[in-house]
mmCIF file of all heavy atoms in Angstrom:
data_model
loop_
_atom_site.group_PDB
_atom_site.id
_atom_site.type_symbol
_atom_site.label_atom_id
_atom_site.label_comp_id
_atom_site.label_asym_id
_atom_site.label_seq_id
_atom_site.Cartn_x
_atom_site.Cartn_y
_atom_site.Cartn_z
ATOM 1 N N ASN A 212 -13.051 69.133 21.042
ATOM 2 C CA ASN A 212 -12.998 68.175 19.940
ATOM 3 C C ASN A 212 -14.380 67.714 19.490
ATOM 4 O O ASN A 212 -14.514 67.113 18.417
ATOM 5 C CB ASN A 212 -12.185 66.937 20.356
ATOM 6 C CG ASN A 212 -10.718 67.243 20.508
ATOM 7 O OD1 ASN A 212 -9.954 67.151 19.555
ATOM 8 N ND2 ASN A 212 -10.306 67.631 21.708
ATOM 9 N N LEU A 213 -15.401 67.974 20.298
ATOM 10 C CA LEU A 213 -16.751 67.507 19.982
ATOM 11 C C LEU A 213 -17.668 68.609 19.463
ATOM 12 O O LEU A 213 -18.740 68.318 18.935
ATOM 13 C CB LEU A 213 -17.397 66.909 21.243
ATOM 14 C CG LEU A 213 -16.656 65.752 21.923
ATOM 15 C CD1 LEU A 213 -17.438 65.289 23.149
ATOM 16 C CD2 LEU A 213 -16.453 64.593 20.949
ATOM 17 N N MET A 214 -17.264 69.841 19.588
ATOM 18 C CA MET A 214 -18.161 70.957 19.275
ATOM 19 C C MET A 214 -18.324 71.152 17.768
ATOM 20 O O MET A 214 -17.352 71.230 17.027
ATOM 21 C CB MET A 214 -17.632 72.242 19.916
ATOM 22 C CG MET A 214 -17.667 72.233 21.431
ATOM 23 S SD MET A 214 -16.743 73.598 22.169
ATOM 24 C CE MET A 214 -17.604 75.006 21.470
ATOM 25 N N GLY A 215 -19.576 71.218 17.332
ATOM 26 C CA GLY A 215 -19.871 71.593 15.955
ATOM 27 C C GLY A 215 -19.518 70.567 14.908
ATOM 28 O O GLY A 215 -19.371 70.918 13.731
ATOM 29 N N LYS A 216 -19.375 69.297 15.279
ATOM 30 C CA LYS A 216 -19.080 68.262 14.283
ATOM 31 C C LYS A 216 -20.301 68.075 13.380
ATOM 32 O O LYS A 216 -21.399 67.792 13.859
ATOM 33 C CB LYS A 216 -18.740 66.942 14.971
ATOM 34 C CG LYS A 216 -17.503 66.982 15.865
ATOM 35 C CD LYS A 216 -16.232 67.043 15.055
ATOM 36 C CE LYS A 216 -15.006 66.896 15.942
ATOM 37 N NZ LYS A 216 -13.744 66.986 15.197
ATOM 38 N N TRP A 217 -20.116 68.205 12.071
ATOM 39 C CA TRP A 217 -21.271 68.184 11.171
ATOM 40 C C TRP A 217 -21.985 66.840 11.161
ATOM 41 O O TRP A 217 -23.197 66.755 10.941
ATOM 42 C CB TRP A 217 -20.840 68.545 9.751
ATOM 43 C CG TRP A 217 -20.026 67.475 9.065
ATOM 44 C CD1 TRP A 217 -18.675 67.344 9.090
ATOM 45 C CD2 TRP A 217 -20.514 66.403 8.269
ATOM 46 N NE1 TRP A 217 -18.274 66.245 8.370
ATOM 47 C CE2 TRP A 217 -19.394 65.651 7.840
ATOM 48 C CE3 TRP A 217 -21.783 65.992 7.861
ATOM 49 C CZ2 TRP A 217 -19.512 64.529 7.040
ATOM 50 C CZ3 TRP A 217 -21.900 64.862 7.062
ATOM 51 C CH2 TRP A 217 -20.768 64.144 6.649
ATOM 52 N N ASP A 218 -21.252 65.760 11.425
ATOM 53 C CA ASP A 218 -21.855 64.424 11.376
ATOM 54 C C ASP A 218 -22.150 63.884 12.769
ATOM 55 O O ASP A 218 -22.466 62.720 12.938
ATOM 56 C CB ASP A 218 -20.940 63.452 10.633
ATOM 57 C CG ASP A 218 -19.563 63.315 11.280
ATOM 58 O OD1 ASP A 218 -19.187 64.223 12.045
ATOM 59 O OD2 ASP A 218 -18.885 62.321 11.016
ATOM 60 N N LYS A 219 -22.051 64.745 13.791
ATOM 61 C CA LYS A 219 -22.298 64.320 15.167
ATOM 62 C C LYS A 219 -23.280 65.295 15.806
ATOM 63 O O LYS A 219 -23.612 66.340 15.248
ATOM 64 C CB LYS A 219 -20.987 64.307 15.978
ATOM 65 C CG LYS A 219 -19.875 63.443 15.398
ATOM 66 C CD LYS A 219 -20.176 61.960 15.533
ATOM 67 C CE LYS A 219 -18.984 61.142 15.033
ATOM 68 N NZ LYS A 219 -19.257 59.686 15.109
ATOM 69 N N VAL A 220 -23.732 64.955 17.001
ATOM 70 C CA VAL A 220 -24.516 65.907 17.768
ATOM 71 C C VAL A 220 -23.645 67.119 18.077
ATOM 72 O O VAL A 220 -22.435 66.990 18.292
ATOM 73 C CB VAL A 220 -25.067 65.248 19.046
ATOM 74 C CG1 VAL A 220 -23.944 64.894 20.004
ATOM 75 C CG2 VAL A 220 -26.087 66.129 19.720
ATOM 76 N N LEU A 221 -24.229 68.322 18.090
ATOM 77 C CA LEU A 221 -23.433 69.547 18.075
ATOM 78 C C LEU A 221 -23.165 70.148 19.443
ATOM 79 O O LEU A 221 -22.466 71.160 19.560
ATOM 80 C CB LEU A 221 -24.129 70.593 17.193
ATOM 81 C CG LEU A 221 -24.384 70.149 15.749
ATOM 82 C CD1 LEU A 221 -25.126 71.230 14.989
ATOM 83 C CD2 LEU A 221 -23.077 69.813 15.059
ATOM 84 N N GLY A 222 -23.714 69.587 20.507
ATOM 85 C CA GLY A 222 -23.507 70.101 21.850
ATOM 86 C C GLY A 222 -24.274 69.250 22.836
ATOM 87 O O GLY A 222 -24.799 68.191 22.490
ATOM 88 N N TRP A 237 -26.862 75.466 19.862
ATOM 89 C CA TRP A 237 -26.250 74.335 20.570
ATOM 90 C C TRP A 237 -25.188 74.858 21.532
ATOM 91 O O TRP A 237 -24.311 75.635 21.148
ATOM 92 C CB TRP A 237 -25.615 73.356 19.585
ATOM 93 C CG TRP A 237 -26.623 72.478 18.913
ATOM 94 C CD1 TRP A 237 -27.171 72.651 17.676
ATOM 95 C CD2 TRP A 237 -27.190 71.288 19.447
ATOM 96 N NE1 TRP A 237 -28.054 71.641 17.414
ATOM 97 C CE2 TRP A 237 -28.096 70.779 18.479
ATOM 98 C CE3 TRP A 237 -27.042 70.590 20.649
ATOM 99 C CZ2 TRP A 237 -28.839 69.619 18.662
ATOM 100 C CZ3 TRP A 237 -27.771 69.431 20.839
ATOM 101 C CH2 TRP A 237 -28.656 68.951 19.857
ATOM 102 N N ASP A 262 -26.211 60.338 22.518
ATOM 103 C CA ASP A 262 -27.431 60.866 21.901
ATOM 104 C C ASP A 262 -28.489 59.796 21.640
ATOM 105 O O ASP A 262 -29.452 60.034 20.912
ATOM 106 C CB ASP A 262 -27.102 61.611 20.604
ATOM 107 C CG ASP A 262 -26.461 60.715 19.556
ATOM 108 O OD1 ASP A 262 -26.322 59.494 19.796
ATOM 109 O OD2 ASP A 262 -26.086 61.232 18.489
ATOM 110 N N LEU A 270 -32.757 62.695 20.542
ATOM 111 C CA LEU A 270 -32.971 63.868 19.697
ATOM 112 C C LEU A 270 -34.297 63.742 18.950
ATOM 113 O O LEU A 270 -34.783 62.633 18.695
ATOM 114 C CB LEU A 270 -31.836 64.019 18.680
ATOM 115 C CG LEU A 270 -30.402 64.033 19.203
ATOM 116 C CD1 LEU A 270 -29.424 64.067 18.047
ATOM 117 C CD2 LEU A 270 -30.179 65.212 20.128
ATOM 118 N N ASN A 273 -33.687 67.267 15.049
ATOM 119 C CA ASN A 273 -32.356 67.864 15.189
ATOM 120 C C ASN A 273 -32.217 68.743 16.419
ATOM 121 O O ASN A 273 -31.385 69.657 16.464
ATOM 122 C CB ASN A 273 -31.991 68.670 13.936
ATOM 123 C CG ASN A 273 -31.911 67.804 12.699
ATOM 124 O OD1 ASN A 273 -31.309 66.729 12.724
ATOM 125 N ND2 ASN A 273 -32.531 68.257 11.617
#
Side-chain angles (χ1 to χ4, degrees):
N212 290 271
L213 303 180
M214 293 168 60
K216 298 287 188 182
W217 71 270
D218 59 340
K219 304 289 184 182
V220 67
L221 303 178
W237 282 98
D262 62 3
L270 307 175
N273 297 314

